[in-house]
Amino acid sequence: GAVVSQHPSWVICKSGTSVKIECRSLDFQATTMFWYRQFPKQSLMLMATSNEGSKATYEQGVEKDKFLINHASLTLSTLTVTSAHPEDSSFYICSARASGFTDTQYFGPGTRLTVL
Amino acid sequence: GDSVTQMEGPVTLSEEAFLTINCTYTATGYPSLFWYVQYPGEGLQLLLKATKADDKGSNKGFEATYRKETTSFHLEKGSVQVSDSAVYFCAHTSGGNQFYFGTGTSLTVIP
């Protein structure tokens, strides 16, 4: 149980285009999902917290207009990187916290974004 | 503020060696403590957790004990295998949204 999927697993795009990444909780409902960014050989940096049916909460320094987050249902959150640039190339990981369980987060497999 | 400090890697061990990865934390309140493992090219997988002082989390031969007096949650395994090669992250949360991760420790086990 507690499986989180991400799609796509990797994507290559041209500079200036937008990319959408999906995060799904497959066998549980997640009222809260989280988006992280991981640079090579570094730890995860929380970008934003996504609550179903409400606006995402962004961490300091994260541009909300560049990283659009939508959490339209209890099993799906999307991250759209708008007007992507090479510096946005990174590994993006989502996690989900099951309703009623406040501590454990279950992580998706990650999405490798490369912007040319 | 809240944070996690874990030993820097990389760590290289021979198969069947004993593993210890140190982790200490600073936190407000009474956090839950976690170890996550990340295999190459993959996301994080929950390895084990402990939610209160003196609890021992264990899974796949790995163990870690929640030590409140030393604010530590060291990861141990008695006999590592090549398949244990991965990056290990210590983390804590106090039940809110914020998870605090260590910087990760890369482990390579050689045959």
Side-chain angles (χ1 to χ4, degrees):
Chain A
V3 177
V4 176
S5 70
Q6 279 184 243
H7 178 81
S9 55
W10 59 270
V11 57
I12 301 173
C13 69
K14 293 182 178 179
S15 185
T17 61
S18 295
V19 174
K20 179 185 284 188
I21 302 169
E22 293 185 348
C23 176
R24 294 181 184 271
S25 56
L26 298 185
D27 51 2
F28 66 99
Q29 293 186 330
T31 52
T32 306
M33 289 184 170
F34 307 86
W35 287 96
Y36 294 83
R37 183 172 180 177
Q38 185 181 30
F39 293 99
K41 299 185 179 181
Q42 295 188 24
S43 190
L44 282 71
M45 292 177 51
L46 179 65
M47 299 174 65
T49 301
S50 167
N51 291 297
E52 186 265 338
S54 64
K55 291 183 178 180
T57 302
Y58 290 81
E59 295 299 302
Q60 191 173 11
V62 178
E63 298 176 59
K64 61 180 66 177
D65 294 331
K66 181 167 188 61
F67 299 99
L68 300 179
I69 291 171
N70 182 274
H71 192 161
S73 77
L74 287 172
T75 59
L76 173 64
S77 177
T78 60
L79 168 68
T80 302
V81 183
T82 62
S83 187
H85 288 91
E87 58 267 27
D88 299 323
S89 299
S90 191
F91 195 50
Y92 292 88
I93 302 175
C94 74
S95 70
R97 189 172 68 197
S99 305
F101 293 88
T102 61
D103 59 4
T104 303
Q105 293 185 19
Y106 298 95
F107 286 80
T111 297
R112 173 74 60 193
L113 170 63
T114 301
V115 184
L116 302 177
Chain B
D2 291 22
S3 66
V4 174
T5 302
Q6 60 182 104
M7 64 183 286
E8 292 190 20
V11 174
T12 302
L13 295 174
S14 298
E15 205 165 23
E16 300 183 2
F18 185 85
L19 168 71
T20 299
I21 301 178
N22 290 336
C23 171
T24 58
Y25 66 90
T26 57
T28 53
Y30 301 95
S32 294
L33 305 177
F34 303 82
W35 276 100
Y36 284 88
V37 58
Q38 185 178 34
Y39 297 100
E42 299 183 11
L44 274 67
Q45 299 176 25
L46 177 64
L47 181 59
L48 53 85
K49 61 181 278 190
T51 58
K52 62 183 188 294
D54 300 326
D55 269 2
K56 177 184 285 187
S58 61
N59 185 27
K60 299 180 181 179
F62 291 89
E63 293 183 340
T65 301
Y66 190 143
R67 300 288 187 199
K68 184 181 175 184
E69 63 277 13
T70 54
T71 62
S72 65
F73 194 54
H74 304 321
L75 182 68
E76 296 182 338
K77 185 174 186 181
S79 176
V80 294
Q81 304 301 312
V82 173
S83 58
D84 294 326
S85 298
V87 180
Y88 293 82
F89 290 93
C90 184
H92 78 73
T93 184
S94 295
N97 289 336
Q98 186 69 49
F99 250 62
Y100 296 89
F101 284 91
T103 53
T105 301
S106 174
L107 170 66
T108 300
V109 180
I110 54 178

